[in-house]
Coordinates of all heavy atoms in Angstrom, one line a residue:
M22 N 0.8 -1.2 0.0 CA -0.1 0.0 -0.1 C 0.8 1.2 0.0 O 1.8 1.3 0.8 CB -0.8 0.0 1.2 CG -1.8 1.1 1.3 SD -2.9 0.9 2.8 CE -3.4 2.6 3.0
E23 N 0.5 2.2 -1.0 CA 1.3 3.4 -0.9 C 1.0 4.5 0.1 O -0.2 4.5 0.7 CB 1.1 4.1 -2.3 CG 1.8 3.4 -3.4 CD 2.0 4.3 -4.6 OE1 1.5 5.5 -4.7 OE2 2.7 3.9 -5.4
K24 N 2.0 5.1 0.6 CA 1.9 6.1 1.6 C 2.6 7.4 1.1 O 3.3 7.3 0.1 CB 2.6 5.7 2.9 CG 2.0 4.4 3.5 CD 0.9 4.6 4.3 CE 1.1 5.3 5.7 NZ -0.1 5.6 6.4
K25 N 2.4 8.5 1.8 CA 3.0 9.8 1.5 C 3.7 10.2 2.8 O 3.1 10.0 3.9 CB 2.0 10.8 1.1 CG 2.8 12.1 0.8 CD 1.8 13.1 0.0 CE 1.1 14.0 0.9 NZ 0.2 14.9 0.2
V26 N 4.9 10.8 2.6 CA 5.5 11.4 3.7 C 6.1 12.8 3.4 O 6.5 12.9 2.3 CB 6.6 10.5 4.3 CG1 7.9 10.3 3.3 CG2 7.1 11.0 5.7
E27 N 6.0 13.7 4.4 CA 6.6 15.0 4.3 C 7.7 15.1 5.3 O 7.4 14.9 6.3 CB 5.6 16.2 4.5 CG 4.5 16.3 3.4 CD 3.6 17.5 3.8 OE1 3.9 18.5 4.3 OE2 2.5 17.4 3.1
I28 N 8.9 15.5 4.7 CA 10.0 15.4 5.6 C 10.7 16.8 5.6 O 10.8 17.4 4.5 CB 11.1 14.4 5.0 CG1 10.5 13.0 4.8 CG2 12.4 14.3 5.9 CD1 11.4 12.1 3.9
F29 N 11.0 17.2 6.7 CA 11.7 18.6 6.8 C 12.9 18.4 7.5 O 13.2 17.9 8.7 CB 10.8 19.4 7.8 CG 9.4 19.8 7.2 CD1 8.3 19.0 7.4 CD2 9.3 20.8 6.5 CE1 7.1 19.2 6.9 CE2 8.1 21.2 5.8 CZ 6.9 20.4 6.1
V30 N 14.0 18.9 6.9 CA 15.4 18.7 7.3 C 16.1 20.0 7.6 O 16.1 20.9 6.7 CB 16.2 18.0 6.2 CG1 17.6 17.6 6.6 CG2 15.5 16.7 5.7
S31 N 16.7 20.0 8.8 CA 17.4 21.2 9.2 C 18.8 20.9 9.4 O 19.2 19.8 9.5 CB 16.8 21.6 10.7 OG 15.4 21.8 10.6
G32 N 19.6 22.1 9.4 CA 21.0 21.9 9.5 C 21.7 22.6 8.3 O 21.0 23.6 7.7
R33 N 22.8 22.3 8.0 CA 23.5 22.8 6.8 C 23.2 21.9 5.7 O 23.9 21.0 5.3 CB 25.0 22.7 7.1 CG 25.8 23.5 6.0 CD 27.3 23.8 6.3 NE 28.1 23.7 5.2 CZ 29.1 22.8 4.9 NH1 29.5 21.9 5.8 NH2 29.7 22.9 3.8
V34 N 22.1 22.1 5.0 CA 21.5 21.3 4.0 C 21.2 22.1 2.7 O 20.7 21.4 1.7 CB 20.3 20.7 4.5 CG1 20.5 19.5 5.6 CG2 19.2 21.5 5.0
Q35 N 21.4 23.4 2.7 CA 21.3 24.0 1.4 C 22.7 24.5 0.8 O 23.6 24.8 1.6 CB 20.5 25.4 1.6 CG 19.0 25.0 1.9 CD 18.1 26.2 1.9 OE1 18.5 27.3 1.5 NE2 16.9 26.1 2.3
G36 N 22.7 24.3 -0.5 CA 24.1 24.7 -1.1 C 25.2 23.5 -0.9 O 26.2 23.9 -1.2
V37 N 24.7 22.3 -0.5 CA 25.8 21.3 -0.2 C 25.3 20.0 -1.0 O 25.6 18.9 -0.6 CB 25.9 21.1 1.2 CG1 26.5 22.2 1.9 CG2 24.6 20.8 1.9
F38 N 24.6 20.1 -2.2 CA 24.2 19.0 -3.0 C 23.2 18.1 -2.3 O 23.0 17.1 -2.7 CB 25.4 18.3 -3.5 CG 26.4 19.1 -4.2 CD1 27.6 19.5 -3.7 CD2 26.1 19.6 -5.6 CE1 28.6 20.3 -4.3 CE2 27.0 20.4 -6.2 CZ 28.3 20.7 -5.6
F39 N 22.6 18.6 -1.2 CA 21.6 17.8 -0.4 C 20.4 17.4 -1.4 O 20.0 16.3 -1.5 CB 21.1 18.6 0.7 CG 20.2 17.6 1.6 CD1 20.9 16.9 2.6 CD2 18.9 17.7 1.5 CE1 20.1 16.0 3.4 CE2 18.1 16.9 2.4 CZ 18.7 16.1 3.3
R40 N 19.9 18.4 -2.2 CA 18.7 18.2 -3.1 C 19.0 17.1 -4.0 O 18.3 16.1 -4.4 CB 18.2 19.4 -3.7 CG 17.5 20.4 -2.7 CD 16.9 21.6 -3.4 NE 18.2 22.3 -4.0 CZ 18.1 23.4 -4.8 NH1 16.9 23.8 -5.1 NH2 19.2 23.9 -5.4
A41 N 20.2 17.2 -4.7 CA 20.6 16.2 -5.7 C 20.8 14.7 -5.0 O 20.4 13.8 -5.7 CB 21.9 16.7 -6.4
F42 N 21.3 14.9 -3.9 CA 21.5 13.5 -3.2 C 20.2 13.0 -3.0 O 19.9 11.7 -3.1 CB 22.1 13.9 -1.8 CG 22.3 12.7 -0.9 CD1 23.2 11.6 -1.2 CD2 21.3 12.6 0.2 CE1 23.3 10.5 -0.2 CE2 21.4 11.5 1.1 CZ 22.4 10.5 0.8
I43 N 19.1 13.6 -2.4 CA 17.8 13.1 -2.2 C 17.2 12.6 -3.6 O 16.4 11.7 -3.6 CB 16.9 14.1 -1.4 CG1 17.5 14.3 0.1 CG2 15.5 13.7 -1.4 CD1 17.4 13.1 0.9
L44 N 17.2 13.6 -4.5 CA 16.7 13.2 -5.9 C 17.1 11.9 -6.4 O 16.4 11.1 -6.7 CB 17.0 14.3 -6.9 CG 16.6 14.2 -8.3 CD1 15.1 14.3 -8.5 CD2 17.4 15.0 -9.1
K45 N 18.5 11.6 -6.3 CA 19.1 10.3 -6.8 C 18.5 9.2 -5.9 O 18.1 8.2 -6.5 CB 20.5 10.4 -6.6 CG 21.3 9.1 -7.1 CD 22.9 9.3 -7.0 CE 23.6 8.2 -7.5 NZ 24.3 7.4 -6.5
K46 N 18.6 9.3 -4.4 CA 18.1 8.2 -3.7 C 16.7 7.9 -3.8 O 16.2 6.8 -4.0 CB 18.4 8.6 -2.2 CG 19.9 8.7 -1.9 CD 20.7 7.3 -2.2 CE 22.1 7.5 -1.8 NZ 22.8 6.3 -2.2
A47 N 15.8 9.0 -3.9 CA 14.3 8.8 -4.2 C 14.1 8.0 -5.5 O 13.3 7.1 -5.5 CB 13.6 10.1 -4.2
R48 N 14.8 8.4 -6.5 CA 14.6 7.8 -7.9 C 15.1 6.4 -7.7 O 14.3 5.4 -8.4 CB 15.4 8.5 -9.0 CG 14.6 9.7 -9.4 CD 15.2 10.6 -10.5 NE 14.4 11.7 -10.9 CZ 14.8 12.7 -11.8 NH1 16.1 12.5 -12.3 NH2 14.1 13.6 -12.1
E49 N 16.2 6.1 -7.1 CA 16.7 4.6 -6.9 C 15.6 3.8 -6.2 O 15.5 2.6 -6.4 CB 17.9 4.7 -6.1 CG 19.2 5.2 -7.0 CD 20.6 5.2 -6.2 OE1 20.5 5.0 -4.9 OE2 21.5 5.7 -6.7
L50 N 14.9 4.4 -5.2 CA 14.0 3.7 -4.4 C 12.6 3.7 -5.0 O 11.7 3.0 -4.5 CB 13.8 4.4 -3.1 CG 15.0 4.3 -2.1 CD1 14.8 5.3 -1.1 CD2 15.2 2.9 -1.7
G51 N 12.5 4.2 -6.3 CA 11.1 4.2 -7.0 C 10.0 5.0 -6.4 O 8.9 4.7 -6.7
L52 N 10.4 6.1 -5.8 CA 9.6 7.1 -5.2 C 9.1 8.2 -6.1 O 9.8 8.6 -7.1 CB 10.1 7.7 -4.0 CG 10.4 6.5 -2.8 CD1 11.2 7.2 -1.7 CD2 9.3 5.9 -2.4
F53 N 8.1 8.8 -5.7 CA 7.6 9.9 -6.5 C 7.3 11.2 -5.6 O 7.0 11.0 -4.4 CB 6.1 9.6 -7.2 CG 6.2 8.5 -8.2 CD1 6.1 7.1 -7.8 CD2 6.6 8.7 -9.5 CE1 6.2 6.2 -8.7 CE2 6.7 7.7 -10.5 CZ 6.5 6.4 -10.0
G54 N 7.6 12.3 -6.1 CA 7.3 13.6 -5.3 C 8.4 14.6 -5.6 O 8.8 14.7 -6.8
W55 N 8.8 15.4 -4.6 CA 9.8 16.4 -4.9 C 10.6 16.8 -3.7 O 10.2 16.4 -2.6 CB 9.1 17.7 -5.4 CG 8.0 18.2 -4.6 CD1 6.6 17.9 -4.6 CD2 8.1 19.1 -3.5 NE1 5.9 18.6 -3.7 CE2 6.8 19.4 -2.9 CE3 9.2 19.8 -2.9 CZ2 6.6 20.3 -1.8 CZ3 9.0 20.7 -1.8 CH2 7.7 20.9 -1.3
V56 N 11.7 17.5 -3.9 CA 12.6 18.0 -2.9 C 12.8 19.5 -3.2 O 13.0 19.8 -4.4 CB 13.9 17.3 -2.7 CG1 14.7 17.2 -4.0 CG2 14.7 17.8 -1.6
G57 N 12.8 20.3 -2.1 CA 13.1 21.8 -2.4 C 13.6 22.5 -1.2 O 13.4 22.1 0.0
N58 N 14.3 23.6 -1.4 CA 14.8 24.4 -0.3 C 13.6 25.3 0.2 O 12.9 25.9 -0.6 CB 15.9 25.3 -0.8 CG 17.2 24.6 -1.0 OD1 17.3 23.5 -0.6 ND2 18.2 25.3 -1.8
L59 N 13.5 25.5 1.5 CA 12.5 26.5 2.1 C 13.3 27.8 2.4 O 14.6 27.7 2.7 CB 12.0 25.9 3.4 CG 11.1 24.6 3.2 CD1 10.6 24.0 4.4 CD2 10.1 24.9 2.1
K60 N 12.6 28.9 2.5 CA 13.2 30.1 2.8 C 13.9 30.2 4.1 O 14.7 31.0 4.3 CB 12.1 31.3 2.6 CG 11.6 31.4 1.2 CD 10.5 32.5 1.1 CE 10.0 32.5 -0.3 NZ 8.9 33.4 -0.4
D61 N 13.4 29.4 5.0 CA 14.0 29.4 6.5 C 15.2 28.6 6.6 O 15.7 28.4 7.7 CB 12.9 29.0 7.4 CG 12.4 27.4 7.3 OD1 13.0 26.8 6.4 OD2 11.5 27.1 8.1
G62 N 15.7 28.0 5.5 CA 17.0 27.2 5.6 C 16.8 25.8 5.6 O 17.8 25.0 5.5
R63 N 15.6 25.3 5.8 CA 15.4 23.9 5.7 C 15.2 23.3 4.4 O 14.9 24.1 3.3 CB 14.2 23.5 6.6 CG 14.3 23.9 8.1 CD 12.9 23.5 8.8 NE 11.8 24.3 8.2 CZ 10.6 24.0 8.6 NH1 10.2 23.0 9.0 NH2 9.7 24.7 7.9
V64 N 15.3 22.0 4.2 CA 14.8 21.4 3.0 C 13.5 20.6 3.3 O 13.4 19.9 4.3 CB 15.9 20.5 2.5 CG1 15.5 19.5 1.3 CG2 17.1 21.3 1.9
K65 N 12.7 20.7 2.3 CA 11.4 19.9 2.5 C 11.3 18.9 1.3 O 11.7 19.1 0.2 CB 10.2 20.8 2.2 CG 8.9 20.1 2.4 CD 7.7 21.0 2.3 CE 6.4 20.3 2.4 NZ 5.2 21.2 2.3
I66 N 11.0 17.6 1.7 CA 10.8 16.5 0.9 C 9.3 16.0 0.9 O 8.9 15.8 2.0 CB 11.8 15.4 1.2 CG1 13.2 15.8 1.3 CG2 11.6 14.2 0.2 CD1 14.2 14.9 2.1
V67 N 8.7 15.8 -0.2 CA 7.4 15.3 -0.2 C 7.5 14.0 -1.1 O 7.9 14.2 -2.3 CB 6.4 16.2 -0.8 CG1 5.0 15.4 -1.0 CG2 6.2 17.4 0.0
A68 N 7.3 12.8 -0.5 CA 7.6 11.6 -1.4 C 6.4 10.6 -1.0 O 5.8 10.6 0.0 CB 8.8 11.0 -0.9
Q69 N 6.1 9.9 -2.1 CA 5.2 8.8 -1.9 C 5.6 7.6 -2.7 O 6.4 7.6 -3.6 CB 3.9 9.3 -2.3 CG 3.6 9.7 -3.7 CD 2.2 10.2 -3.9 OE1 1.7 11.1 -3.2 NE2 1.5 9.7 -4.9
G70 N 5.1 6.5 -2.1 CA 5.5 5.2 -2.7 C 5.3 4.2 -1.6 O 4.6 4.3 -0.6
E71 N 5.9 3.0 -1.7 CA 5.9 1.9 -0.6 C 6.5 2.4 0.7 O 7.5 3.1 0.6 CB 6.5 0.7 -1.1 CG 5.9 0.1 -2.4 CD 4.4 -0.3 -2.1 OE1 4.1 -0.8 -1.0 OE2 3.6 0.0 -3.0
K72 N 5.8 2.1 1.8 CA 6.3 2.6 3.0 C 7.7 2.2 3.3 O 8.5 3.1 3.9 CB 5.4 2.1 4.2 CG 5.8 2.7 5.5 CD 4.7 2.5 6.5 CE 5.1 3.2 7.9 NZ 4.4 2.9 9.0
E73 N 8.2 1.0 3.0 CA 9.5 0.5 3.2 C 10.6 1.4 2.5 O 11.6 1.9 3.1 CB 9.7 -0.9 2.8 CG 11.1 -1.5 3.1 CD 11.2 -2.9 2.7 OE1 10.4 -3.7 3.2 OE2 12.1 -3.3 1.9
A74 N 10.2 1.8 1.3 CA 11.1 2.8 0.6 C 11.1 4.1 1.2 O 12.3 4.8 1.1 CB 10.7 2.8 -0.9
L75 N 9.9 4.6 1.7 CA 9.9 5.9 2.3 C 10.7 5.9 3.5 O 11.5 6.9 3.8 CB 8.5 6.3 2.5 CG 7.6 6.5 1.3 CD1 6.1 6.5 1.7 CD2 8.0 7.7 0.4
E76 N 10.7 4.8 4.3 CA 11.4 4.9 5.5 C 13.0 4.9 5.2 O 13.8 5.4 6.0 CB 11.2 3.4 6.3 CG 9.7 3.5 6.9 CD 9.3 2.2 7.5 OE1 9.8 1.2 7.1 OE2 8.4 2.2 8.3
K77 N 13.4 4.2 4.0 CA 14.8 4.3 3.6 C 15.1 5.7 3.3 O 16.3 6.1 3.7 CB 15.1 3.4 2.5 CG 15.1 1.8 3.0 CD 15.4 0.9 1.8 CE 15.3 -0.5 2.1 NZ 15.5 -1.4 1.0
L78 N 14.3 6.4 2.7 CA 14.5 7.8 2.3 C 14.6 8.7 3.5 O 15.5 9.5 3.6 CB 13.4 8.4 1.4 CG 13.6 9.7 0.8 CD1 14.8 9.7 -0.2 CD2 12.4 10.2 0.1
I79 N 13.9 8.5 4.5 CA 14.0 9.2 5.8 C 15.5 9.0 6.4 O 16.1 9.9 6.8 CB 12.9 8.8 6.7 CG1 11.5 9.3 6.3 CG2 13.2 9.3 8.2 CD1 10.4 8.7 7.0
E80 N 15.8 7.7 6.3 CA 17.2 7.4 6.9 C 18.3 8.0 6.0 O 19.3 8.6 6.6 CB 17.4 5.9 6.9 CG 16.6 5.2 7.9 CD 16.7 5.8 9.3 OE1 17.8 5.9 9.8 OE2 15.7 6.1 10.0
Y81 N 18.1 8.2 4.7 CA 19.1 8.9 3.9 C 19.0 10.4 4.2 O 20.1 11.0 4.2 CB 18.7 8.6 2.4 CG 19.2 7.4 1.7 CD1 18.3 6.6 1.0 CD2 20.5 6.9 2.0 CE1 18.6 5.3 0.6 CE2 20.8 5.7 1.4 CZ 19.9 4.9 0.7 OH 20.2 3.7 0.2
A82 N 17.9 10.9 4.5 CA 17.8 12.4 4.9 C 18.3 12.7 6.1 O 19.0 13.7 6.3 CB 16.3 12.8 5.0
K83 N 18.5 11.7 7.1 CA 19.0 11.8 8.3 C 20.6 12.0 8.3 O 21.3 12.6 8.9 CB 18.8 10.8 9.3 CG 17.3 10.8 9.8 CD 17.0 9.6 10.7 CE 15.5 9.6 11.2 NZ 15.3 8.5 12.0
V84 N 21.2 11.3 7.2 CA 22.6 11.3 7.0 C 23.1 12.4 6.0 O 24.0 13.2 6.4 CB 23.1 9.9 6.3 CG1 24.5 10.0 5.9 CG2 22.7 8.8 7.3
G85 N 22.3 12.5 4.9 CA 22.6 13.6 3.9 C 23.7 13.5 3.1 O 24.4 12.4 3.2
S86 N 23.9 14.5 2.2 CA 25.1 14.4 1.2 C 26.4 14.4 2.1 O 26.4 14.9 3.1 CB 24.8 15.5 0.2 OG 24.8 16.7 0.8
P87 N 27.6 14.2 1.4 CA 28.8 14.3 2.1 C 29.1 15.7 2.7 O 29.6 15.8 3.8 CB 29.8 13.9 1.1 CG 29.0 13.0 0.2 CD 27.6 13.7 0.1
L88 N 28.7 16.8 2.0 CA 28.9 18.1 2.6 C 28.0 18.6 3.6 O 28.1 19.7 4.3 CB 29.2 19.0 1.4 CG 30.2 18.8 0.5 CD1 30.3 19.8 -0.6 CD2 31.7 18.9 1.3
A89 N 26.8 17.9 3.7 CA 25.6 18.4 4.6 C 26.0 18.0 6.1 O 26.7 17.1 6.3 CB 24.4 17.7 4.0
R90 N 25.3 18.8 6.8 CA 25.3 18.6 8.4 C 24.0 18.5 8.8 O 23.4 19.7 9.0 CB 26.2 19.6 9.0 CG 27.7 19.6 8.6 CD 28.4 18.2 9.1 NE 29.8 18.2 8.5 CZ 30.2 17.5 7.5 NH1 29.3 16.8 6.9 NH2 31.4 17.5 7.1
V91 N 23.3 17.5 8.9 CA 21.9 17.4 9.4 C 21.8 17.4 10.9 O 22.5 16.8 11.5 CB 21.2 16.1 8.8 CG1 19.8 15.9 9.3 CG2 21.3 16.0 7.3
S92 N 21.0 18.5 11.4 CA 20.8 18.4 12.7 C 19.5 18.0 13.3 O 19.4 17.5 14.3 CB 20.9 19.9 13.1 OG 20.0 20.9 12.5
K93 N 18.6 18.0 12.3 CA 17.1 17.5 12.8 C 16.3 17.3 11.5 O 16.3 17.9 10.5 CB 16.5 18.7 13.5 CG 15.2 18.5 14.1 CD 14.6 19.6 14.9 CE 13.3 19.3 15.5 NZ 12.8 20.6 16.3
V94 N 15.6 16.1 11.7 CA 14.7 15.7 10.7 C 13.3 15.3 11.4 O 13.1 14.6 12.2 CB 15.2 14.3 9.9 CG1 14.1 13.8 9.0 CG2 16.5 14.6 9.4
N95 N 12.2 16.0 10.8 CA 10.9 15.8 11.2 C 10.1 15.4 10.0 O 10.4 15.8 8.9 CB 10.2 17.2 11.7 CG 10.8 17.7 13.0 OD1 11.2 16.9 13.8 ND2 11.0 19.0 13.0
F96 N 9.2 14.5 10.3 CA 8.4 13.9 9.2 C 7.0 13.7 9.6 O 6.7 13.4 10.9 CB 8.9 12.6 8.7 CG 9.3 11.5 9.5 CD1 8.5 10.6 9.7 CD2 10.6 11.6 10.1 CE1 8.7 9.6 10.7 CE2 10.8 10.6 11.1 CZ 9.9 9.6 11.3
V97 N 6.0 13.6 8.7 CA 4.6 13.4 8.9 C 4.2 12.5 7.9 O 4.3 12.7 6.6 CB 3.9 14.8 8.8 CG1 2.3 14.5 9.0 CG2 4.4 15.8 9.8
W98 N 3.5 11.4 8.2 CA 2.9 10.4 7.3 C 1.5 10.8 7.0 O 0.8 11.4 7.7 CB 2.9 9.0 8.0 CG 4.2 8.5 8.2 CD1 4.9 8.4 9.4 CD2 5.0 7.6 7.3 NE1 6.1 7.8 9.3 CE2 6.1 7.3 7.9 CE3 4.9 7.5 6.0 CZ2 7.3 6.6 7.4 CZ3 5.8 6.7 5.3 CH2 7.0 6.4 6.0
S99 N 1.1 10.4 5.8 CA -0.2 10.7 5.3 C -0.7 9.6 4.2 O 0.1 8.9 3.7 CB -0.2 12.0 4.5 OG -1.5 12.3 3.9
D100 N -2.1 9.3 4.2 CA -2.5 8.4 3.2 C -3.2 9.3 2.1 O -3.7 8.8 1.3 CB -3.7 7.6 3.9 CG -3.1 6.6 4.9 OD1 -2.1 6.0 4.7 OD2 -3.8 6.4 5.9
D101 N -3.1 10.5 2.2 CA -3.6 11.4 1.2 C -2.6 11.7 0.0 O -1.6 12.4 0.1 CB -4.1 12.8 1.8 CG -4.5 13.7 0.9 OD1 -5.2 13.3 -0.3 OD2 -4.5 14.9 0.9
L102 N -2.8 10.8 -1.0 CA -1.8 10.8 -2.1 C -2.1 11.8 -3.1 O -3.1 12.3 -3.5 CB -1.7 9.4 -2.8 CG -1.5 8.2 -1.8 CD1 -1.6 6.9 -2.6 CD2 -0.2 8.4 -1.1
D103 N -0.9 12.4 -3.7 CA -0.9 13.3 -4.7 C -0.7 12.6 -6.1 O -0.3 11.4 -6.0 CB 0.2 14.4 -4.6 CG -0.1 15.3 -3.4 OD1 -1.3 15.7 -3.2 OD2 0.8 15.5 -2.5
K104 N -0.9 13.3 -7.1 CA -0.6 12.7 -8.5 C 0.8 13.2 -9.0 O 0.8 14.2 -9.6 CB -1.7 13.1 -9.4 CG -3.0 12.5 -9.1 CD -4.1 12.7 -10.1 CE -5.4 12.2 -9.6 NZ -6.4 12.0 -10.7
F105 N 1.9 12.3 -8.6 CA 3.2 12.6 -9.2 C 3.5 11.7 -10.2 O 3.1 10.5 -10.1 CB 4.2 12.5 -8.0 CG 4.0 13.6 -6.9 CD1 3.7 13.0 -5.7 CD2 4.1 14.8 -7.0 CE1 3.6 13.9 -4.6 CE2 4.0 15.7 -6.1 CZ 3.7 15.3 -4.8
D106 N 4.3 12.1 -11.2 CA 4.8 11.1 -12.3 C 6.2 10.9 -12.3 O 6.7 10.3 -13.2 CB 4.2 11.6 -13.6 CG 4.7 13.0 -14.1 OD1 5.4 13.6 -13.2 OD2 4.3 13.4 -15.2
D107 N 6.9 11.6 -11.4 CA 8.4 11.5 -11.3 C 8.8 12.0 -9.9 O 8.1 12.5 -9.1 CB 9.0 12.5 -12.3 CG 10.5 12.2 -12.6 OD1 11.0 11.3 -12.0 OD2 11.0 13.0 -13.3
F108 N 10.0 12.1 -9.6 CA 10.7 12.7 -8.5 C 11.4 13.8 -9.0 O 12.4 13.5 -9.8 CB 11.5 11.7 -7.5 CG 11.7 12.3 -6.1 CD1 10.8 12.0 -5.1 CD2 12.6 13.2 -5.9 CE1 10.9 12.5 -3.9 CE2 12.8 13.8 -4.6 CZ 11.9 13.5 -3.6
K109 N 11.3 15.1 -8.5 CA 12.1 16.2 -9.1 C 12.5 17.2 -8.1 O 12.0 17.1 -6.9 CB 11.3 16.9 -10.2 CG 10.0 17.5 -9.6 CD 9.1 18.1 -10.7 CE 7.8 18.7 -10.1 NZ 7.0 19.4 -11.1
V110 N 13.2 18.2 -8.4 CA 13.6 19.4 -7.6 C 12.5 20.4 -7.8 O 12.3 20.6 -9.1 CB 14.9 19.8 -7.9 CG1 15.3 21.0 -7.1 CG2 16.0 18.9 -7.6
N111 N 11.9 20.9 -6.8 CA 11.0 21.9 -6.8 C 11.6 23.1 -6.4 O 12.1 23.4 -5.3 CB 9.8 21.5 -5.8 CG 8.7 22.7 -5.9 OD1 8.8 23.6 -6.3 ND2 7.6 22.3 -5.3
F112 N 11.7 24.2 -7.3 CA 12.5 25.5 -7.1 C 11.7 26.5 -6.3 O 12.2 27.5 -6.1 CB 13.1 25.9 -8.4 CG 14.2 25.1 -9.0 CD1 13.9 24.0 -9.9 CD2 15.5 25.0 -8.4 CE1 14.9 23.2 -10.4 CE2 16.4 24.2 -8.8 CZ 16.2 23.3 -9.9
S113 N 10.4 26.2 -6.1 CA 9.6 27.1 -5.4 C 8.5 26.5 -4.5 O 7.4 26.6 -4.7 CB 8.9 28.2 -6.3 OG 8.1 27.4 -7.3
P114 N 9.0 25.7 -3.5 CA 8.2 25.0 -2.6 C 7.4 25.8 -1.7 O 6.4 25.3 -1.0 CB 9.1 24.0 -1.9 CG 10.4 24.7 -1.8 CD 10.4 25.6 -3.1
D115 N 7.7 27.0 -1.3 CA 7.0 27.8 -0.3 C 5.6 28.3 -0.8 O 5.3 28.5 -1.9 CB 7.8 29.0 0.1 CG 8.9 28.6 1.0 OD1 8.9 27.5 1.6 OD2 9.9 29.5 1.1

């Protein structure tokens, strides 16, 4: 059964290839959705797919790209699915 998760990542996560890292991992996991920088310095990830794959994405978000320094990860699960046809970078998520 498909689920959706919204993930908010805090720390040094903008300008350190974090979005590209999440994009690659999400596509490898067969997930759909997007990743984008928020104005407050966090990164937001909206992903949907199989729960096991989403849990792996959360773990990748906790580690981050090699240059990132993740300090906090919050996430919210949902059964309210969107219509995504890919996983992409969203340049205006606010």
Side-chain angles (χ1 to χ4, degrees):
M22 182 174 158
E23 286 202 349
K24 300 280 285 181
K25 179 170 92 174
V26 67
E27 291 187 19
I28 308 166
F29 296 89
V30 186
S31 301
R33 188 171 149 236
V34 291
Q35 291 190 10
V37 292
F38 304 103
F39 188 87
R40 290 178 303 171
F42 171 78
I43 292 297
L44 177 72
K45 180 178 184 243
K46 295 301 183 184
R48 287 181 173 172
E49 287 173 0
L50 292 167
L52 299 173
F53 297 90
W55 57 267
V56 58
N58 288 343
L59 297 176
K60 291 177 185 172
D61 66 5
R63 295 179 299 160
V64 168
K65 181 177 181 180
I66 305 162
V67 177
Q69 64 187 44
E71 295 299 321
K72 187 169 184 186
E73 183 177 307
L75 293 169
E76 289 171 340
K77 287 181 184 177
L78 186 66
I79 292 168
E80 292 306 310
Y81 285 127
K83 289 177 180 178
V84 174
S86 61
L88 296 175
R90 296 293 173 261
V91 176
S92 62
K93 186 176 182 182
V94 175
N95 295 323
F96 53 93
V97 179
W98 291 100
S99 173
D100 292 321
D101 183 25
L102 301 180
D103 293 314
K104 294 187 181 195
F105 298 120
D106 58 1
D107 194 5
F108 198 95
K109 63 182 183 176
V110 174
N111 183 343
F112 292 99
S113 56
D115 285 338

